Structure formats: C-alpha cells, structure tokens
Amino acid sequence: MHYQDKYFDQDKNTILRAAQGFVEPQLLKRWVEVAYKTYMLLENPMGLEDAFIKKLKSIKEYDYSFLQELYAILSAIYRFERGNNQLEIIWDGRSHYEVYAENWSETFDEWVKHFCTKPEVYRSILKACILRQGMNNKFLYYAIRRVILSHFDLKISRNKMLKTA
C-alpha cells in the first residue's frame, strides 16, 4: 500500500514541505558551519592551534546525514507553528514556493544560531558531522533532539507532536 499525502497539491503545507525539502542541503551545510564557528568562538576564543584544531580545520568534507532527522523535526515544528493551510496573496511577483523557502530559511537560521549556543548541540554536531567519530550517534542525536523539543515545549509521541505546556 502506498502512502497517500493528506493535503491538496496547492495546499500551503504541501508547498511548504516541498520548499523545505528543496533548501535542506544548503541549510544542513549552514547548520554545521554555525556549529563549527560557535565551537571556535566559545571553546577556542584565542584562536590557538593545537593538534585537535589543526585536525578540525583540515577536514573539508562533512557528513550531513546525522542532521537529516533533526532537520525533519524542525521542519515539522515550523509547519506545526504556522498551522493554517491558507495561501496568502503575494504581491511582489514571487511564487508561494519561493516565499515559503525564504521564510523557512530565515527562521531555521535563527533557530540554529540559538541551538548552537548550547554545548551539547555544537559538540554533538562536531563529533558526528565533522570528526565522524565511531561513537554512538544516537546518544548525540537524542541530546540535540531534547534541546529542540524542550525549547518549543513539545513532546513527540508515536508520530504525533504534542505541546507539553
């Protein structure tokens, strides 16, 4: 049996979900970059270059797959918060798709900057995406997920998102 989408083709949530999927690769890259810069700013404010920092700087290829499920959670939270499904009138000639992608990207950037101020977030991203240490990434994933859900006072239960407060 095939999964059937519950929304209409021109429903706001359908367009928003498509826009979020389109910008996902660049936003995941940005998330890792913010985590890296935050780490350097908070953990190495003097810019000293020891062996670890040299190793960190030498890595140019990152693994973004660790963040994909967390991105999906943030995307769902965004759709949950902007819960109406009415398309608005856009007067500047852009499509709904473009406007929603831009609005989502701006909100995502704000959220990521906030979350990356937490050591459990930026350190987990460094370990899983940049260093790719053979660690238990589920532990790192749940640390970040806990920060995200507690920030929004949400709980995820069997594919349902519930407000806790």
Side-chain angles (χ1 to χ4, degrees):
M1 179 175 229
H2 293 286
Y3 170 76
Q4 187 174 3
D5 208 351
K6 294 186 264 183
Y7 304 111
F8 301 106
D9 287 341
Q10 292 302 309
D11 180 76
K12 177 181 178 181
N13 285 317
T14 302
I15 297 170
L16 179 55
R17 185 177 292 167
Q20 288 174 325
F22 180 74
V23 296
E24 179 178 354
Q26 70 193 48
L27 293 181
L28 291 180
K29 181 179 180 190
R30 202 170 322 162
W31 196 355
V32 172
E33 290 169 356
V34 169
Y36 177 82
K37 287 177 184 172
T38 304
Y39 174 81
M40 291 303 216
L41 182 69
L42 297 177
E43 304 274 339
N44 189 16
M46 294 177 62
L48 301 175
E49 290 207 10
D50 59 2
F52 177 74
I53 297 296
K54 286 179 183 176
K55 178 183 177 185
L56 202 57
K57 287 183 175 183
S58 71
I59 300 171
K60 301 297 179 204
E61 300 268 332
Y62 305 146
D63 179 18
Y64 304 108
S65 61
F66 169 75
L67 294 174
Q68 287 175 325
E69 201 170 325
L70 295 164
Y71 179 87
I73 290 171
L74 286 173
S75 298
I77 291 170
Y78 183 82
R79 290 191 305 273
F80 178 72
E81 283 190 341
R82 285 144 180 85
N84 71 25
N85 59 358
Q86 297 298 314
L87 294 174
E88 46 226 41
I89 297 173
I90 300 171
W91 299 99
D92 63 3
R94 295 182 298 162
S95 70
H96 287 95
Y97 185 85
E98 292 170 312
V99 171
Y100 295 158
E102 182 181 316
N103 292 344
W104 161 238
S105 296
E106 289 170 2
T107 302
F108 182 82
D109 284 340
E110 290 171 21
W111 289 352
V112 161
K113 286 175 185 166
H114 171 74
F115 295 137
C116 282
T117 61
K118 313 276 188 225
E120 58 264 39
V121 174
Y122 68 77
R123 289 177 184 165
S124 296
I125 292 172
L126 282 179
K127 289 176 182 176
C129 299
I130 298 176
L131 297 172
R132 297 182 214 168
Q133 293 177 339
M135 301 178 62
N136 182 359
N137 284 346
K138 275 297 182 192
F139 177 74
L140 302 174
Y141 163 80
Y142 283 115
I144 296 174
R145 180 182 147 167
R146 185 178 58 249
V147 168
I148 291 170
L149 294 178
S150 67
H151 174 76
F152 293 105
D153 294 324
L154 293 172
K155 180 175 144 182
I156 296 178
S157 166
R158 293 211 181 228
N159 298 332
K160 289 183 183 180
M161 199 173 299
L162 306 167
K163 197 80 165 155
T164 58

